[in-house]
Amino acid sequence: MRSPLGNRFKSVAGQVFVLQVAIVVLLAAGALLALVLQSRHDIDREARNRSVAVAETFSHQLGLQGALKTDDPSAVLQPLAEQTRKAAGVDFIVVMDTNGIRYSHPQPDRIGKRFVGTIEPSLQGKVHTESVEGPLGKEIQAVVPVKGPDGKVVGLVSAGLTVENVTGALDRQLPVILLAIATGLALATVGTALISRRLRRQTHGLGTQEMTRMYEHHDAVLHAVREGVVITDGEGRLVLANDEAKRLLGLPEEAEGHPIGDVPGLDRRIADLLLSAREATDQVLASGDRLLVVNQRPTHPHGRPEGAVVTIRDSTEMQILTTRAETARRRLKLLYDAGGDIGTTLDVVRTAEELAAVAVPRFADFVTVDLADQVVDGDEPAPGADMRRTAISGIRSDHPLYPVGRLIDFLPSTPQARGYGTGRAELVPHLDDAAGWKAQDPPRAEAIVDYGIHSLIAAPLMARGVVLGVVNFWRSQKQEPFDEDELSLAEELVARAAVSMDNARRYTREHALAVTLQRSLLPRALPEQSAMDVAHFYLPAQSGVGGDWFDVIPLPGSRVALVVGDVVGHGLHAAATMGRLRTAVHNFSSLDLPPDEILARLDDLVQRIDHDHNGDSEEGNGGVLGATCLYAVYDPVSQRCTMARAGHLPPLLVAPDGSTEIVELPAGPPLGLGGMPFETAELDLAEGSQLVLYTDGLVEERTRDISEGLELLRAALSHPDRDPHDSCRAVLDMLLPARPTDDVALLIARTRTLGADRVAQWDVPFEPSAVGAMRSVAAKKLDEWGLSELGFATELILSELITNALRHGSEPVRVRLLRDHNLTCEVWDGSSTAPHLRYAATTDEGGRGLFLVAQLSEHWGTRYTPEGKVIWAELSLPGEAGGGPEAALSAFLDVDPL
């Protein structure tokens, strides 16, 4: 009978237990030896380090060098050395001279004798440690030099420990080491026993024979699974191939044991993979008509590659499904990208280019976009309209397709014309057989086919039931023609792009209407005036027309008004509001009101507009969302400029010497707020000064703040030698963005003066007899100016105006004549009472004076000053259009002109 113990040790778990215990014992013995050697090494090193430290410390002892120079150094050094030795815990401290003769030693009889050890390295200034057989036995000692002030060695100090004391420390540590090793051995043995018990439980106490039988069973299962398993060795031989592997790879039954390169029927690519023994994960390889998924892992039974284990499964059907899924994923990705890449701008041409680019080369090799000619301009296309090639994108640029910009009249037989007419996409699988397509342009069609383009999809761009154009997808590289699935993809892609195209078309139309409206509302040409040289620039925003405007308005007395304004918002409403405000400014300017009063009236007007539209439920968004304005009046006679602003940016003033400054002008609230007055500022401008008015679109941008823009504007204007047009170009070159997000309006005016030779002014005594005297001096001045032809009309006008001032006005009274593009007669008085034009009855003795003035002059009117009022009248100079005052006087008197 077998003993239970013998059976236990014949099992796999028992054998593993014995092997592990043996290994643990060997490891414990090795660890003990290593710890003993390490401890010995550490203690020896510690002894040397302590010896060096003690010797160096004693070598620097105060009084040591002095004691060496005495007649009896031992008397001083022996007690000191012994005291230090006991305190430092070393066995000896020896002080000697440079010849090695001791001055101190734990054994006094050794004093005066030669030191046992090597002193030559220390005499050279080095620290030397060694192990010697000395008077105290086996010793570990260190020898250090004692250097004088000049660096010369004047003595030596040696300190050390005996090996007996060193090994005694090791002996004291040895029980602790043995206890630790024993504890570790016991724990390892217990752990090994637990592992063996677990292994016995997992193997059910089976022995090697039982394990062999189990392997045979597993081998039977291995050959029955529906996944190929191949095992190779390190020499490139086929060790194992189960039945499924032989079926999938077409291996013969006797393939096992042969070199892999000699196995008949094995595919070359699979053979190369097996011979490489590299790691492979789900690598797809073709073997005959099958697609095989191969996984390979190298084996390392002895720490080096000894072969590989390969699993193989058939994925032919799965690969077909995967291919279809990948195709569907790519198509979805194309549609997703098209949603983000098409329609990034509201530009028809750019949208067409984006549509053509997104489909190449992922869907087609060439894409052309043909739009109805009206669509490019923003209009809806008419039935049967000609189409213009708007965009082309392709894998090559030397294609024979119609170029961009070509106006094409497609024949009814072409797929493009059919698609445009029916709104349904047309598929032409083979262009070489499409007679209807070839009929459009036979030579070009032949060139397209010879180029390699063989298949076409013509998909109409339809939005809101209106066909805008046709998108053509051409294929050349892929041999298969377009199919029905790809036709559906083309329809979906074009349908998504059609929405963006229609949005761009409608925006183009609205933008064109707004631009047209705005251009019609802005001044096309600046009026003629002599007070300023003016240059202007206006650019609407790329995103939409805004409400910026500028104006130059001639005023009586050779004065001129400069206006710049900005209506918040974009589009038709902003442009229309701008036109209303500009017209209102013109009307208010005709009243010759001060700038602050004009802004106050504009403010009232904007409030009324807002009130009217807020009360209209059908047009609640028609009010003015906000507006700013700057109004300035310049008088070339006094060289004074009066200005006010309503929330607008302040103007810049460029002096004749080139210095620039921002005019300190009270801001005032934007138009429409109401309740707050506007303030004016007056500036005396030297001749040649430049006044710069602008809107925020010029100086404010996303990439910079407004203060930086103002500094750039000042830098661009700091050149007084430039005329306003050159200054305008310099400002635009420095500040104008490539794609402005807001309207840009710029007005640069350089002042001129009306010299004393063109101005005549007299104070009028407040008495009736002064009228005749004024007529006389005025006639003389006209003779000096060469305007004698205007003498009669001027005398008559002055007589009536001065008489009215003396009769109905108050002191002081002044008369001024201005010779400019016309002759201006001005009569000043201190009264604020305004005269009124009326028709006198036949029985009235008076009341015809202003009527005469109105008939004789081109224009007349009244303006108020802080001191009173001014009544003025303008007469055309001889030779000017309108016939002059003589013609008016002749018509009034109903006589034939001479």
Short mmCIF file of all heavy atoms in Angstrom, two decimals, residues 102 114-120 128 130 132-133 141 143:
data_model
loop_
_atom_site.label_atom_id
_atom_site.label_comp_id
_atom_site.label_asym_id
_atom_site.label_seq_id
_atom_site.Cartn_x
_atom_site.Cartn_y
_atom_site.Cartn_z
N ARG A 102 56.52 58.74 16.87
CA ARG A 102 55.31 59.01 17.63
C ARG A 102 55.58 60.01 18.75
O ARG A 102 56.61 59.96 19.42
CB ARG A 102 54.76 57.73 18.26
CG ARG A 102 54.41 56.62 17.27
CD ARG A 102 53.69 55.49 18.02
NE ARG A 102 53.41 54.34 17.18
CZ ARG A 102 54.18 53.26 17.10
NH1 ARG A 102 55.26 53.18 17.86
NH2 ARG A 102 53.85 52.27 16.30
N ARG A 114 58.89 54.47 15.94
CA ARG A 114 58.41 54.76 14.58
C ARG A 114 56.99 54.21 14.40
O ARG A 114 56.66 53.13 14.87
CB ARG A 114 59.34 54.16 13.53
CG ARG A 114 58.94 54.56 12.10
CD ARG A 114 60.00 54.07 11.12
NE ARG A 114 59.65 54.45 9.76
CZ ARG A 114 59.85 55.63 9.23
NH1 ARG A 114 60.44 56.56 9.97
NH2 ARG A 114 59.49 55.89 7.98
N PHE A 115 56.21 54.94 13.72
CA PHE A 115 54.81 54.60 13.45
C PHE A 115 54.73 53.41 12.50
O PHE A 115 55.48 53.32 11.53
CB PHE A 115 54.09 55.81 12.84
CG PHE A 115 52.67 55.55 12.41
CD1 PHE A 115 51.67 55.37 13.36
CD2 PHE A 115 52.36 55.45 11.07
CE1 PHE A 115 50.38 55.15 12.94
CE2 PHE A 115 51.07 55.22 10.66
CZ PHE A 115 50.06 55.06 11.61
N VAL A 116 53.81 52.51 12.79
CA VAL A 116 53.61 51.34 11.95
C VAL A 116 52.50 51.69 10.92
O VAL A 116 51.34 51.82 11.28
CB VAL A 116 53.20 50.11 12.79
CG1 VAL A 116 52.96 48.90 11.87
CG2 VAL A 116 54.28 49.81 13.80
N GLY A 117 52.88 51.85 9.69
CA GLY A 117 51.90 52.18 8.63
C GLY A 117 52.55 53.00 7.53
O GLY A 117 53.77 53.25 7.55
N THR A 118 51.76 53.43 6.60
CA THR A 118 52.23 54.16 5.42
C THR A 118 51.97 55.65 5.65
O THR A 118 50.83 56.05 5.89
CB THR A 118 51.49 53.70 4.16
OG1 THR A 118 51.66 52.29 4.00
CG2 THR A 118 52.03 54.40 2.91
N ILE A 119 53.07 56.42 5.57
CA ILE A 119 52.91 57.86 5.82
C ILE A 119 53.23 58.69 4.57
O ILE A 119 53.03 59.90 4.58
CB ILE A 119 53.81 58.32 6.98
CG1 ILE A 119 55.30 58.12 6.62
CG2 ILE A 119 53.45 57.58 8.27
CD1 ILE A 119 56.25 58.68 7.66
N GLU A 120 53.75 58.06 3.51
CA GLU A 120 54.16 58.84 2.33
C GLU A 120 52.99 59.62 1.71
O GLU A 120 53.15 60.81 1.35
CB GLU A 120 54.81 57.91 1.28
CG GLU A 120 56.22 57.45 1.63
CD GLU A 120 56.23 56.37 2.73
OE1 GLU A 120 55.14 55.88 3.06
OE2 GLU A 120 57.31 56.06 3.24
N HIS A 128 45.07 59.22 4.05
CA HIS A 128 45.31 57.83 3.68
C HIS A 128 44.72 56.91 4.75
O HIS A 128 44.89 57.15 5.95
CB HIS A 128 46.82 57.58 3.56
CG HIS A 128 47.15 56.15 3.22
ND1 HIS A 128 46.84 55.59 2.01
CD2 HIS A 128 47.77 55.17 3.96
CE1 HIS A 128 47.24 54.32 2.00
NE2 HIS A 128 47.80 54.05 3.18
N GLU A 130 44.08 52.65 5.83
CA GLU A 130 44.61 51.32 5.55
C GLU A 130 44.33 50.40 6.74
O GLU A 130 43.87 50.84 7.80
CB GLU A 130 46.12 51.41 5.33
CG GLU A 130 46.89 51.96 6.52
CD GLU A 130 48.37 52.13 6.25
OE1 GLU A 130 48.83 51.63 5.21
OE2 GLU A 130 49.06 52.78 7.05
N VAL A 132 46.31 47.56 8.96
CA VAL A 132 47.68 47.08 9.25
C VAL A 132 47.66 46.24 10.53
O VAL A 132 46.69 46.23 11.30
CB VAL A 132 48.64 48.28 9.41
CG1 VAL A 132 48.70 49.10 8.13
CG2 VAL A 132 48.21 49.17 10.56
N GLU A 133 48.75 45.55 10.71
CA GLU A 133 48.98 44.80 11.95
C GLU A 133 49.83 45.69 12.84
O GLU A 133 51.03 45.84 12.66
CB GLU A 133 49.70 43.48 11.63
CG GLU A 133 49.83 42.55 12.84
CD GLU A 133 48.50 41.95 13.26
OE1 GLU A 133 47.64 41.72 12.36
OE2 GLU A 133 48.29 41.74 14.47
N GLN A 141 43.19 52.16 10.33
CA GLN A 141 43.67 53.48 10.74
C GLN A 141 43.65 54.44 9.56
O GLN A 141 43.65 54.03 8.40
CB GLN A 141 45.08 53.39 11.31
CG GLN A 141 46.12 52.90 10.29
CD GLN A 141 47.50 52.72 10.91
OE1 GLN A 141 47.65 52.74 12.12
NE2 GLN A 141 48.50 52.54 10.06
N VAL A 143 45.55 58.23 8.32
CA VAL A 143 46.66 59.13 8.52
C VAL A 143 46.36 60.41 7.74
O VAL A 143 46.11 60.36 6.53
CB VAL A 143 47.98 58.50 8.05
CG1 VAL A 143 49.14 59.46 8.32
CG2 VAL A 143 48.22 57.17 8.72
#
